[in-house]
Amino acid sequence: MTEERHNPISLQNIRLNDRFWSRRAERIAKEVIPYQWDALNDNVPGAEPSHAIENFRIAAGEVTGEFHGMVFQDSDVAKWIEAASYSLHTHPNPKLEAKIDSVIELMERAQRQDGYLNTYFTVAKPEKRWTDFSFGHELYCAGHLMEAAVAYYNSTGKKKFLTIMSRYADYIDSVIGAHDEKMKVYCGHEEIELALMRLFQATGEERYLRLSQYFIDERGKQPCFLKDEPTFGHLSKTKWFDLDYHQVHAPVRAQTTAEGHSVRAMYLYSAMADLAKETKDESLSAALEKLWDNTTKRRMYITGGLGSQGHGERFTIDFDLPNDRVYAETCAAIGLIFWAQRMLLLSPDHRYADVMERALYNGALSGISMDGKKYFYVNPLEVIPEVAENRHDHEHIQVQRQEWFGCACCPPNIARLIASLGQYVYSQRSSTIYTHLYIGSEGAFEINGQPVVLQQQTNYPWSGEVTISLKIEESQNITIALRIPGWCKKQRIIVNGQIVDNVVIDKGYAMITRKWMNGDQINLNFDMPIELTYAHPKVREIAGKVAIERGPLVYCLEETDNGSDLWSIMLPSESKLESEFQEGLFGGVVIIKGDARRSDNEGWGDKLYSSEKCQTRTVNIQAVPYYLWGNRQPSGEMTVWIRNI
Amino acid sequence: MTEERHNPISLQNIRLNDRFWSRRAERIAKEVIPYQWDALNDNVPGAEPSHAIENFRIAAGEVTGEFHGMVFQDSDVAKWIEAASYSLHTHPNPKLEAKIDSVIELMERAQRQDGYLNTYFTVAKPEKRWTDFSFGHELYCAGHLMEAAVAYYNSTGKKKFLTIMSRYADYIDSVIGAHDEKMKVYCGHEEIELALMRLFQATGEERYLRLSQYFIDERGKQPCFLKDEPTFGHLSKTKWFDLDYHQVHAPVRAQTTAEGHSVRAMYLYSAMADLAKETKDESLSAALEKLWDNTTKRRMYITGGLGSQGHGERFTIDFDLPNDRVYAETCAAIGLIFWAQRMLLLSPDHRYADVMERALYNGALSGISMDGKKYFYVNPLEVIPEVAENRHDHEHIQVQRQEWFGCACCPPNIARLIASLGQYVYSQRSSTIYTHLYIGSEGAFEINGQPVVLQQQTNYPWSGEVTISLKIEESQNITIALRIPGWCKKQRIIVNGQIVDNVVIDKGYAMITRKWMNGDQINLNFDMPIELTYAHPKVREIAGKVAIERGPLVYCLEETDNGSDLWSIMLPSESKLESEFQEGLFGGVVIIKGDARRSDNEGWGDKLYSSEKCQTRTVNIQAVPYYLWGNRQPSGEMTVWIRNI
């Protein structure tokens, strides 16, 4: 049975060596993780103090003081440890490891006798433990700590943190669950479900899987305890924070639309996919298919951003995708990547990988600045600074990336994503190696007891040329499944200099099965023209507009390149656009240039309304990759969608 | 000097006899005013109880109970009395007069010994009198009561209410003002300024003019007492309710942009215009010119609606005019009519009358249903019910007119506007009679001691044909100044069958000066084609869109006539549109029909994003006057602005 398992490549087995990503991963390891360590320790001048480490000291009784921060402040430390643990694979760093060890020891001292570990409830509300499942984030924090413990164990082999978190999980298992005397509850913010699946994978203890399953099966049963049990019920009175906000409006298998807080939703669906894969629960898989379709065909921004409004950081209704009042939280795009990867493992299909890639290169990556030190929480697709600063319905929009947030969920989340990016590149099922992402790397596999190494070279996302070389001791039958990106309309696959015709395409993967030999080489050429993209005509806010894409990248217009009043630019469908690699810009990027029309705003006069139409003239436009917007100063207007004529 | 005064025709001297307006005025008199009386007395089943009359009973000590309603609940009674008083001119009604008398007597009993009259502070917060000038609305309520008193006095000649309010005004004058021992304050919500001007006009007491002048001159001096004096300072902490919300960010003569709560702004500017006219204060006139330009050339919806966001019911920034998240409160359009009329009196110019007419026939009239019983507080220019009901940033949007509101400012405001509409038709300065609006009516004037009567007949706004006949005892030299509407590009003026060539046009008014004889007749023909209207290209939310107008009316598309997904309709600039009078619709209206294109939303498939553009097909569209939208059931989508191709 082990042979049939479908797993992502583990971080031990992959090394990135990529023009695009390696410097980002290095920046995460060398600058972001140290910076975030300082932030967690309140050592970043000018930034909001986090107090996150201090909270653990207080909980451990080593200093006195009050809890500060969000109720889920512990999770910032957890995500940081997780990111730092991943970075140890690529950037071994004994000093960093020692720092993590010191935090783990601090956590051990902060852990209660019974295994409980949460600084907010321990320090600020000891009598309120397990009373606020809607917004208390207790199990959520536990989940992030479990993920961190698994990551640290996988990186270092050290077991202490895993033991701490297993104790905590065992304690949770002793107070929550199906047995009569236990609480029948789950967390308002999903996370522990997927974390318990990871704890199960790391420890092999099936009770963690069962507890995760309990949380998933219990979720959304009606009547709902969040609403009906005053002991636990702290549901907000407004509709934006009602049952669907927490994805508890229906049992999970009966949910068909992506509802509520979008990060919560992503974490739930990720856990459901883990559980469906592990237990082969087809009712869960079927529900996930529906949720996937609804999310990606009705409620997803072109950037992979999720969440159409700030209030409730949530999904709204089908096709409601305003570009300026969007939420598209960085964490939600990251959550979509988590979910997409798990859907791939459940059933390989390029649909999942396409969305994973879209979110990765656009809506997630936009969350972090070029220098790795500034972050977007919200990722708008259109920004007019004057509007964002003056309209109340844009209150949640930041027109520049910020140094750190009081609610600092996104910065460590993007750090852990990039630090662990290798795991998204490949997966293996039996003797099939799936290539999901095109990232320069060396991945090591074991097939029939033999080591197989795939060396990938590419200038992706700027070019669609990819070379994959095999290192193998003895030649053997292997299927290499190469994802044909959804954006690609014409591809060429060459093995050892021979074009492969009649290749079997299975759900968007070219399945190259042969007796592979050492030194075999695959050359992929994915045609990567500039595309104009239109949205479903039901998307009111994008009607009559067009976006520019090239390969996996969504492009945008910035004021710096195109002047202000970006809504005055009209891009004809037949426009000739050209791409150009600019070495000096952002360390080398492909920009897109071409002609468009522009209304002559200055020539209009001073009437507010007129029966004469505004004149237009031809202008040059220049588009840059969306993920880079706002990296130049002054950061002005930006738009992804352009009026189409 | 009296001869040089420029005054609107008084309601005693005009009788409407108009196909369009008379039935509306009649409905106000016969149905709306009785209905609103019931509402004020909590006798409308299903509607939110007003408690407004009950508050006066409690204040008078006649019943016990608590104050209920908004702090400005008294103003609802005031505006109702004002509207009812106007209706007595056209629809004498002794029973109604008796009801008003009973309320006035109740007010007399509720008035404090010192003249103070306010049920909220008397009943609920007696110790807080004169402590909350930002939001307490004390002087605002006083102002509305003064306006009501003047209106009732003008209608009936009865002085009791005028005396009550003069006592109150005298009391206010004794506690607020420039003298050392008095409070240096003004009201957060302007209204008393213009009311005191009316009280001055009715009583001839110049101290009321001086008190109004004090409020206007004091307003916006820095440092501002609302912010800096804790005794009075209840300024909200958010920027949406900061100084500019109350128009106190600068002295009024230094204000150049329309800021803050739009109804407050309109009432202030109206009072400024009254004062400028009365005192010939050119610094005020100059400020008003700037404010007018900013309001009407940068911040006004095509409907004459004002206020671009719900939060703060306020202006935002230049050219920020979203159609769906608009505020455009009915009261603000009414306030704009008040202001425009006063600007006309200050300096006749069709610019003011054009805006007055625009707001009247569109943004104000849309506030009331055909049957006069339902009201819009907010008047959006685009409604997608599913979006309005599901997005938090549309929370303030009602997709149907409501029966009554807890905050019921708009229903009695529209009632008083329509009941007093006659005063907006004509004005007189010396021997010049200005015709501002084309409404079937008979207006009586006195020129050189002789009576002059103008009889106007028209089918406006459906037709641009107007006939004006003179009744005059002795022929005399009179100038009849006929407004050429701004929307009209070609007009013909015929006097006694002769086309008048080389007519002197002075600021948009055709000045016909001659020795007029009894029975002389003027025939006006204003060409009234269908116009496609474009907005200033700086208006981001309307870029690439077009509106349909005909004469003074703005048209809209409704789902009932055009199906859903109205944003999918594209109107070509060269589209052939035709108007058609439909006898059976809304009691007879001109609708507009023609061809447009529509995206084939059903044929698109299930992709959310695609490089293939959506197909389009030709469809028939039908537009109805905007003010009528939402009068058919089910009331669905609506849009004023249509995508233009």
Side-chain angles (χ1 to χ4, degrees):
Chain A
M1 278 298 287
T2 314
E3 287 303 296
E4 275 305 306
R5 295 192 66 84
H6 184 197
N7 287 323
I9 190 166
S10 69
L11 290 175
Q12 287 88 336
N13 295 329
I14 185 161
R15 291 286 170 273
L16 297 195
N17 180 17
D18 186 75
R19 284 187 61 169
F20 188 86
W21 286 108
S22 289
R23 59 178 171 168
R24 289 189 161 77
E26 181 158 328
R27 207 170 289 135
I28 295 292
K30 297 206 171 153
E31 294 178 34
V32 177
I33 287 168
Y35 171 83
Q36 293 188 353
W37 171 253
D38 288 339
L40 293 171
N41 285 279
D42 311 330
N43 288 330
V44 177
E48 279 186 61
S50 155
H51 214 260
I53 297 288
E54 187 71 2
N55 288 336
F56 278 100
R57 288 206 190 90
I58 299 166
E62 291 165 14
V63 296
T64 55
E66 286 179 13
F67 177 91
H68 283 285
M70 315 297 287
V71 292
F72 46 84
Q73 209 75 350
D74 291 357
S75 68
D76 292 344
V77 182
K79 278 187 274 188
W80 178 82
I81 295 178
E82 191 185 342
S85 301
Y86 297 142
S87 80
L88 292 176
H89 286 294
T90 46
H91 298 78
N93 182 340
K95 281 189 184 164
L96 177 62
E97 204 170 316
K99 279 177 190 162
I100 301 173
D101 284 333
S102 75
V103 178
I104 291 169
E105 280 158 24
L106 174 60
M107 286 184 179
E108 189 176 36
R109 298 193 299 273
Q111 188 169 35
R112 302 292 93 182
Q113 205 56 40
D114 54 9
Y116 185 80
L117 177 57
N118 178 300
T119 72
Y120 174 73
F121 284 95
T122 298
V123 174
K125 294 272 171 68
E127 77 290 0
K128 293 284 185 189
R129 193 196 281 194
W130 306 135
T131 63
D132 182 3
F133 288 91
S134 294
F135 296 102
H137 289 75
E138 261 166 313
L139 294 168
Y140 167 88
C141 287
H144 274 301
L145 289 167
M146 288 171 198
E147 284 205 273
V150 171
Y152 192 64
Y153 169 68
N154 286 341
S155 284
T156 62
K158 294 183 191 168
K159 280 202 137 179
K160 177 177 275 199
F161 197 11
L162 201 62
T163 305
I164 291 171
M165 291 317 300
S166 296
R167 272 189 67 209
Y168 191 8
D170 292 340
Y171 163 68
I172 292 168
D173 194 31
S174 76
V175 294
I176 299 174
H179 286 289
D180 276 355
E181 74 282 7
K182 295 186 188 177
M183 288 184 287
K184 310 288 170 293
V185 296
Y186 45 77
C187 191
H189 196 318
E190 303 88 332
E191 155 64 23
I192 194 165
E193 299 82 357
L194 72 86
L196 283 165
M197 293 304 294
R198 298 194 64 190
L199 195 61
F200 154 71
Q201 286 152 5
T203 62
E205 295 288 351
E206 204 171 287
R207 65 178 180 279
Y208 300 139
L209 180 150
R210 295 294 157 218
L211 184 55
S212 175
Q213 190 171 35
Y214 172 79
F215 285 133
I216 289 170
D217 290 349
E218 189 69 14
R219 192 165 205 93
K221 282 187 185 167
Q222 305 299 325
C224 172
F225 82 98
L226 290 178
K227 205 156 202 166
D228 297 298
E229 293 193 23
T231 328
F232 308 132
H234 297 268
L235 217 57
S236 170
K237 298 282 179 238
T238 88
K239 64 183 273 195
W240 318 107
F241 297 90
D242 203 355
L243 294 179
D244 63 348
Y245 172 80
H246 308 276
Q247 298 78 44
V248 299
H249 51 292
V252 298
R253 288 171 184 78
Q255 296 187 21
T256 55
T257 51
E259 299 295 347
H261 188 269
S262 43
V263 176
R264 292 173 192 236
M266 290 306 106
Y267 287 8
L268 169 63
Y269 307 158
S270 296
M272 284 165 65
D274 279 338
L275 187 66
K277 173 166 168 269
E278 206 62 50
T279 62
K280 306 198 186 339
D281 180 335
E282 292 190 0
S283 64
L284 266 183
S285 305
L288 286 165
E289 269 301 315
K290 282 184 191 157
L291 291 166
W292 180 266
D293 268 9
N294 181 258
T295 303
T296 60
K297 292 181 178 174
R298 299 285 184 270
R299 303 186 176 201
M300 182 184 76
Y301 285 89
I302 192 173
T303 56
L306 300 178
S308 298
Q309 81 174 16
H311 207 72
E313 308 178 328
R314 59 176 289 156
F315 291 107
T316 54
I317 52 175
D318 283 354
F319 301 115
D320 180 45
L321 296 165
N323 297 300
D324 56 349
R325 288 157 291 125
V326 49
Y327 206 66
E329 184 179 340
T330 304
C331 287
I334 294 170
L336 179 58
I337 294 167
F338 295 165
W339 182 25
Q341 184 199 28
R342 286 160 169 89
M343 293 302 282
L344 275 176
L345 296 173
L346 199 53
S347 160
D349 188 320
H350 76 115
R351 290 185 297 139
Y352 306 127
D354 285 343
V355 166
M356 182 169 85
E357 183 180 86
R358 184 179 285 283
L360 175 64
Y361 281 94
N362 301 286
L365 193 52
S366 61
I368 186 165
S369 64
M370 282 292 289
D371 65 6
K373 291 185 179 166
K374 293 186 175 176
Y375 307 91
F376 275 133
Y377 196 110
V378 171
N379 294 275
L381 281 79
E382 180 179 7
V383 169
I384 314 296
E386 201 191 1
V387 172
E389 285 153 11
N390 284 286
R391 281 195 64 87
H392 181 256
D393 50 20
H394 288 62
E395 220 182 7
H396 60 293
I397 303 293
Q398 295 282 1
V399 302
Q400 303 226 8
R401 291 180 184 80
Q402 306 292 302
E403 287 205 329
W404 188 258
F405 311 94
C407 171
C409 54
C410 299
N413 224 354
I414 186 108
R416 69 176 176 143
L417 174 76
I418 295 174
S420 66
L421 190 62
Q423 65 172 307
Y424 299 93
V425 177
Y426 295 108
S427 66
Q428 180 184 355
R429 181 163 62 185
S430 188
S431 60
T432 300
I433 297 170
Y434 285 94
T435 308
H436 304 297
L437 295 178
Y438 295 104
I439 293 179
S441 57
E442 187 170 293
F445 305 86
E446 193 188 285
I447 293 180
N448 298 324
Q450 300 290 325
V452 178
V453 171
L454 264 61
Q455 282 181 323
Q456 200 184 141
Q457 283 185 301
T458 182
N459 195 20
Y460 208 87
W462 311 122
S463 137
E465 309 269 352
V466 181
T467 303
I468 296 173
S469 311
L470 266 80
K471 286 202 273 182
I472 188 167
E473 285 179 18
E474 287 174 35
S475 61
Q476 55 170 309
N477 274 315
I478 300 174
T479 300
I480 299 188
L482 300 156
R483 169 177 158 253
I484 312 295
W487 51 260
C488 175
K489 289 174 182 155
K490 209 171 107 192
Q491 74 278 353
R492 206 172 49 191
I493 301 172
I494 295 165
V495 176
N496 297 334
Q498 299 277 327
I499 292 189
V500 182
D501 289 325
N502 304 322
V503 64
V504 176
I505 306 277
D506 184 16
K507 295 184 178 170
Y509 285 79
M511 311 297 282
I512 318 285
T513 305
R514 55 185 279 163
K515 192 153 194 152
W516 291 95
M517 320 250 290
N518 191 37
D520 279 353
Q521 195 175 68
I522 307 169
N523 291 93
L524 300 170
N525 184 331
F526 299 121
D527 200 23
M528 196 185 267
I530 298 162
E531 297 275 4
L532 293 192
T533 303
Y534 305 88
H536 194 297
K538 285 269 186 186
V539 184
R540 181 174 68 107
E541 304 270 1
I542 314 181
K545 294 186 175 178
V546 70
I548 301 171
E549 293 187 282
R550 183 173 177 273
L553 296 180
V554 174
Y555 278 72
C556 70
L557 302 182
E558 284 200 275
E559 185 176 340
T560 313
D561 303 310
N562 302 285
S564 61
D565 301 356
L566 291 177
W567 64 86
S568 303
I569 294 172
M570 288 155 275
L571 188 59
S573 295
E574 61 280 6
S575 188
K576 296 269 171 288
L577 297 176
E578 289 181 0
S579 55
E580 181 182 307
F581 187 76
Q582 290 207 345
E583 191 68 46
L585 190 63
F586 306 121
V589 295
V590 171
I591 60 143
I592 292 172
K593 282 182 166 178
D595 281 353
R597 302 286 298 172
R598 196 187 231 285
S599 57
D600 177 20
N601 297 5
E602 287 62 43
W604 168 270
D606 82 337
K607 276 193 177 178
L608 186 50
Y609 302 104
S610 166
S611 54
E612 275 171 58
K613 202 167 173 173
C614 190
Q615 299 292 309
T616 64
R617 56 191 159 86
T618 298
V619 288
N620 270 287
I621 58 164
Q622 177 171 321
V624 297
Y626 167 76
Y627 75 87
L628 285 168
W629 89 269
N631 271 292
R632 290 173 290 177
Q633 292 306 321
S635 169
E637 293 181 18
M638 180 277 292
T639 190
V640 167
W641 292 98
I642 307 163
R643 281 169 61 197
N644 175 229
I645 48 174
Chain B
M1 280 297 284
T2 315
E3 287 304 295
E4 276 305 307
R5 294 191 66 82
H6 184 196
N7 287 322
I9 191 166
S10 69
L11 289 176
Q12 286 89 333
N13 295 329
I14 186 162
R15 291 285 170 275
L16 298 195
N17 180 17
D18 185 75
R19 282 187 61 170
F20 188 86
W21 286 107
S22 289
R23 60 177 171 170
R24 290 189 158 76
E26 181 159 327
R27 208 170 288 136
I28 295 292
K30 296 203 172 157
E31 293 178 35
V32 176
I33 288 169
Y35 171 82
Q36 294 187 352
W37 171 253
D38 288 339
L40 294 170
N41 284 278
D42 312 329
N43 288 328
V44 176
E48 280 187 59
S50 157
H51 214 260
I53 297 288
E54 187 72 2
N55 288 336
F56 278 99
R57 289 208 189 89
I58 299 166
E62 291 165 14
V63 295
T64 54
E66 287 180 11
F67 177 92
H68 284 283
M70 314 297 285
V71 293
F72 47 83
Q73 208 75 351
D74 292 356
S75 68
D76 292 345
V77 182
K79 278 187 274 186
W80 177 81
I81 294 179
E82 190 185 343
S85 301
Y86 297 142
S87 81
L88 291 176
H89 286 294
T90 45
H91 297 79
N93 182 339
K95 281 189 184 163
L96 176 62
E97 205 170 314
K99 277 177 189 161
I100 302 174
D101 285 334
S102 75
V103 178
I104 291 169
E105 281 158 22
L106 174 60
M107 286 183 178
E108 190 177 34
R109 299 193 299 273
Q111 189 168 33
R112 303 290 93 184
Q113 203 58 38
D114 54 9
Y116 185 79
L117 177 57
N118 179 299
T119 72
Y120 174 73
F121 285 95
T122 299
V123 174
K125 295 272 170 70
E127 77 290 359
K128 294 285 185 188
R129 194 196 278 193
W130 306 135
T131 61
D132 182 3
F133 289 90
S134 294
F135 296 103
H137 289 76
E138 262 165 313
L139 295 168
Y140 167 87
C141 287
H144 273 301
L145 288 166
M146 288 172 199
E147 283 205 274
V150 171
Y152 192 64
Y153 168 68
N154 286 341
S155 283
T156 63
K158 294 182 190 169
K159 280 201 135 176
K160 176 177 274 195
F161 196 12
L162 201 62
T163 306
I164 291 171
M165 293 315 300
S166 296
R167 274 189 66 208
Y168 191 8
D170 292 340
Y171 163 68
I172 293 168
D173 194 32
S174 76
V175 296
I176 300 175
H179 286 290
D180 276 354
E181 73 283 8
K182 295 185 188 178
M183 290 183 286
K184 309 289 170 291
V185 296
Y186 44 77
C187 191
H189 196 319
E190 303 88 332
E191 156 64 23
I192 195 165
E193 298 82 357
L194 72 87
L196 283 165
M197 294 303 293
R198 297 194 65 190
L199 195 61
F200 155 71
Q201 286 152 5
T203 62
E205 295 288 352
E206 205 173 285
R207 65 179 179 280
Y208 301 140
L209 180 150
R210 295 292 158 220
L211 184 55
S212 175
Q213 192 171 35
Y214 171 80
F215 285 133
I216 289 170
D217 289 350
E218 190 69 14
R219 191 164 206 94
K221 282 186 184 166
Q222 306 298 325
C224 173
F225 81 99
L226 290 178
K227 204 156 200 167
D228 297 298
E229 294 193 22
T231 326
F232 308 131
H234 297 269
L235 218 57
S236 170
K237 299 281 179 237
T238 89
K239 65 183 272 196
W240 319 107
F241 297 91
D242 203 354
L243 295 178
D244 64 348
Y245 172 80
H246 308 276
Q247 297 79 44
V248 299
H249 51 291
V252 298
R253 287 170 184 79
Q255 297 187 19
T256 56
T257 51
E259 299 295 347
H261 187 268
S262 43
V263 176
R264 292 172 192 235
M266 291 305 106
Y267 288 8
L268 169 63
Y269 307 157
S270 295
M272 286 164 67
D274 279 339
L275 188 66
K277 173 167 169 269
E278 207 63 51
T279 61
K280 307 199 184 338
D281 180 334
E282 291 189 1
S283 64
L284 266 183
S285 305
L288 285 166
E289 268 302 315
K290 282 186 190 153
L291 290 166
W292 181 266
D293 267 9
N294 181 257
T295 303
T296 61
K297 293 180 178 173
R298 299 285 185 270
R299 302 185 177 202
M300 182 184 75
Y301 285 90
I302 191 173
T303 55
L306 301 178
S308 298
Q309 81 174 16
H311 207 71
E313 309 179 328
R314 59 175 292 153
F315 291 107
T316 54
I317 52 174
D318 284 353
F319 302 114
D320 179 44
L321 296 166
N323 297 301
D324 57 348
R325 287 158 292 124
V326 48
Y327 207 66
E329 184 179 340
T330 303
C331 287
I334 294 170
L336 179 58
I337 293 168
F338 296 164
W339 182 26
Q341 184 199 28
R342 286 160 168 88
M343 294 301 282
L344 275 176
L345 297 173
L346 198 54
S347 160
D349 189 320
H350 77 115
R351 289 185 296 140
Y352 306 126
D354 285 342
V355 165
M356 182 168 84
E357 184 179 85
R358 184 180 285 283
L360 176 64
Y361 281 94
N362 301 286
L365 194 52
S366 61
I368 186 166
S369 64
M370 282 291 290
D371 65 6
K373 291 184 180 166
K374 293 186 175 174
Y375 307 91
F376 275 133
Y377 196 110
V378 170
N379 294 275
L381 281 79
E382 179 179 7
V383 168
I384 313 296
E386 200 191 1
V387 172
E389 285 153 12
N390 284 286
R391 281 195 64 86
H392 182 256
D393 50 19
H394 287 62
E395 221 183 7
H396 60 292
I397 304 292
Q398 295 282 0
V399 302
Q400 304 228 5
R401 291 179 183 82
Q402 306 291 304
E403 287 207 330
W404 189 259
F405 312 94
C407 172
C409 55
C410 299
N413 223 354
I414 185 107
R416 69 176 178 144
L417 174 76
I418 294 175
S420 66
L421 189 61
Q423 65 172 309
Y424 298 95
V425 177
Y426 296 108
S427 66
Q428 181 184 355
R429 180 161 63 183
S430 188
S431 61
T432 300
I433 297 171
Y434 285 93
T435 308
H436 304 296
L437 295 179
Y438 295 103
I439 293 179
S441 57
E442 188 170 293
F445 305 86
E446 195 189 281
I447 294 180
N448 299 324
Q450 298 290 326
V452 178
V453 171
L454 263 60
Q455 283 182 323
Q456 199 184 141
Q457 285 185 300
T458 182
N459 195 21
Y460 207 86
W462 311 122
S463 137
E465 310 269 353
V466 181
T467 302
I468 297 173
S469 311
L470 267 81
K471 285 201 274 183
I472 188 167
E473 284 178 18
E474 287 173 37
S475 60
Q476 53 170 310
N477 274 313
I478 301 173
T479 300
I480 299 188
L482 300 156
R483 169 179 159 249
I484 312 295
W487 50 259
C488 175
K489 290 174 182 157
K490 206 172 108 193
Q491 74 278 354
R492 205 172 50 190
I493 301 172
I494 294 166
V495 176
N496 298 334
Q498 299 276 328
I499 292 188
V500 183
D501 291 325
N502 304 322
V503 63
V504 177
I505 307 275
D506 183 16
K507 295 185 177 166
Y509 284 77
M511 310 298 281
I512 318 285
T513 306
R514 54 185 279 164
K515 191 152 193 151
W516 291 94
M517 319 251 289
N518 190 39
D520 278 355
Q521 196 176 66
I522 308 169
N523 292 93
L524 300 170
N525 184 330
F526 300 120
D527 200 23
M528 195 183 266
I530 298 162
E531 298 274 5
L532 294 192
T533 303
Y534 305 87
H536 194 299
K538 285 269 188 186
V539 185
R540 179 175 68 109
E541 303 271 2
I542 314 183
K545 294 186 176 178
V546 69
I548 301 171
E549 293 189 282
R550 182 174 178 273
L553 297 181
V554 174
Y555 279 71
C556 70
L557 301 182
E558 285 201 273
E559 184 175 342
T560 312
D561 304 310
N562 302 285
S564 61
D565 301 357
L566 291 177
W567 63 86
S568 303
I569 294 172
M570 288 155 272
L571 188 59
S573 296
E574 61 281 6
S575 187
K576 294 269 170 289
L577 297 176
E578 289 182 0
S579 56
E580 182 182 307
F581 187 76
Q582 290 208 343
E583 192 67 49
L585 190 64
F586 305 121
V589 295
V590 171
I591 60 143
I592 292 172
K593 283 182 168 179
D595 282 352
R597 303 287 299 172
R598 196 186 232 287
S599 58
D600 178 19
N601 297 5
E602 287 63 43
W604 168 271
D606 82 337
K607 277 193 176 177
L608 186 50
Y609 302 104
S610 165
S611 55
E612 275 171 59
K613 202 167 173 172
C614 190
Q615 298 294 308
T616 64
R617 56 192 158 85
T618 297
V619 288
N620 270 287
I621 58 163
Q622 177 171 322
V624 297
Y626 168 75
Y627 74 86
L628 285 168
W629 89 270
N631 271 291
R632 290 174 290 177
Q633 293 306 321
S635 171
E637 293 180 18
M638 181 277 293
T639 191
V640 167
W641 292 98
I642 306 163
R643 281 169 61 197
N644 175 228
I645 48 174

